[in-house]
Amino acid sequence: MRILVTDGMDASAIKALGEMGHEIVEQFYEPDQLGAALREFDACVVRSKTKVRACHIDEAKGGKLKLIIRGGVGVDNIDVAYAEENGIAVRNTPNASSESVAELAMGHMFACARYISIAGATMRQDKWEKKAYGKGIELQGKTLGIIGFGRIGQKLCALAKGIGMEVVAYDIYHAEGIEEALGMKYVELDELFAASDFISLHTPAINGVKLIDEANIAKMKDGVVFINTSRGNNVDEDALLAALNSGKVYAAGLDVYAEEPSKNHELYAHPCVSCTPHIGAATREAQKRIGTEIVSIIQNF
């Protein structure tokens, strides 16, 4: 197979595919060039940057393309239904990065609770703001609400339980036996908003719906900590910024944004925001697991 890798892939996976006899081309294409390029490849591997839309699939029709793989959990950057209607299979790697994303979410929880991000930034400006940042909060004994209780949500639950947090979760699907196994409780969304000291979002992108908006923020506890490592479009950034400014939201940990790279300087530079540039799956271990899973998908396909 001739395989296009647009957003990078672990070197060990590229080596393995090469040893299997496949030709690997690592190249990013701008949106107006992507469709024509896809005609020349049997498979395409993307991450978050490349978006494969219906227009690209239309351009690729009649070419060689048979498989699109998203190296990551979600597939919202691919028009999956349209691809499959046109005979192009779509796969992803849902298992590979769960630990990495869950650990980053937990890291943001600690950063928000103890001002780690802003306190470190002020020290690099030769300031000693001990009084300003000496009023943090503990995670132990607090309630964590997890919205979207799939693989990542479950990993985060285990981490949170390990440091003594209570965990409630909202998901449209309730896995049988998991409440007893993980020591958590499924609740309705409004109950989660009302009960949680920390809220972490782990849902796929919901077309046209901002799950975290002004109305739902109003249902949260005063002084809640909000974490988003899922998709930026799930959050009304103006509503979140207003809640940070008013103190309704104590702090926010953000890895994803409505626009990426984010231009919302007022939000990501806010003193109560711990921010990272969409690096949830960006660990050496996760990248190796993603590469291994991609190789397996191609072998099985």
Side-chain angles (χ1 to χ4, degrees), residues 4-276:
L4 173 65
V5 177
T6 64
D7 302 330
M9 188 164 64
D10 187 75
S12 63
I14 291 173
K15 181 181 178 183
L17 289 170
E19 289 173 350
M20 291 163 59
H22 302 301
E23 178 188 352
I24 311 301
V25 177
E26 293 185 84
Q27 184 171 342
F28 174 77
Y29 285 94
E30 294 295 339
D32 61 345
Q33 301 173 327
L34 179 62
L38 289 175
R39 294 176 59 86
E40 306 303 319
F41 293 90
D42 299 285
C44 177
V45 180
V46 304
R47 293 290 308 280
S48 297
K49 187 176 182 181
T50 298
K51 313 273 190 299
V52 185
R53 299 304 183 201
C55 60
H56 303 125
I57 294 164
D58 284 338
E59 285 188 79
K61 285 178 183 177
K64 301 168 64 176
L65 188 65
K66 299 183 287 288
L67 173 66
I68 302 170
I69 303 172
R70 159 80 160 97
V73 177
V75 288
D76 46 279
N77 57 324
I78 303 168
D79 284 348
V80 178
Y82 194 73
E84 293 180 341
E85 286 170 12
N86 285 276
I88 300 168
V90 179
R91 303 286 187 269
N92 67 338
T93 61
N95 301 305
S97 58
S98 299
E99 290 89 349
S100 296
V101 178
E103 287 186 9
L104 182 67
M106 178 61 75
H108 275 300
M109 288 166 62
F110 279 114
C112 288
R114 299 301 302 273
Y115 301 104
I116 293 171
S117 180
I118 184 62
T122 56
M123 284 194 70
R124 286 187 286 274
Q125 297 167 1
D126 295 323
K127 298 177 182 178
W128 189 259
E129 304 281 5
K130 183 173 181 177
K131 282 189 176 180
Y133 304 124
K135 301 173 184 177
I137 58 175
E138 295 180 358
L139 275 66
Q140 182 176 339
K142 302 299 194 302
T143 296
L144 168 63
I146 300 175
I147 303 174
F149 205 62
R151 294 175 180 86
I152 297 169
Q154 291 168 30
K155 295 287 185 183
L156 179 59
C157 172
L159 294 174
K161 295 293 292 184
I163 60 169
M165 299 186 82
E166 297 297 322
V167 177
V168 296
Y170 170 78
D171 199 294
I172 58 174
Y173 174 72
H174 290 194
E176 187 175 350
I178 203 167
E179 290 179 293
E180 295 78 11
L182 293 181
M184 47 71 66
K185 179 184 177 184
Y186 282 115
V187 295
E188 293 303 315
L189 190 58
D190 283 358
E191 185 179 348
L192 182 147
F193 287 140
S196 301
D197 303 294
F198 290 74
I199 293 174
S200 193
L201 188 58
H202 298 282
T203 63
I206 307 166
N207 289 335
V209 177
K210 296 192 182 299
L211 185 58
I212 305 303
D213 59 8
E214 183 178 1
N216 281 337
I217 290 172
K219 298 173 186 175
M220 298 177 188
K221 279 186 176 182
D222 291 344
V224 68
V225 174
F226 173 71
I227 309 296
N228 188 18
T229 56
S230 62
R231 291 291 183 266
N233 289 332
N234 289 334
V235 176
D236 182 334
E237 292 186 345
D238 290 338
L240 177 59
L241 182 59
L244 286 163
N245 287 333
S246 71
K248 175 70 178 181
V249 173
Y250 174 85
L254 305 175
D255 185 50
V256 290
Y257 309 87
E259 180 183 8
E260 295 185 0
S262 178
K263 296 181 177 62
N264 194 343
H265 182 268
E266 191 176 1
L267 177 64
Y268 65 71
H270 194 284
C272 296
V273 169
S274 171
C275 56
T276 47

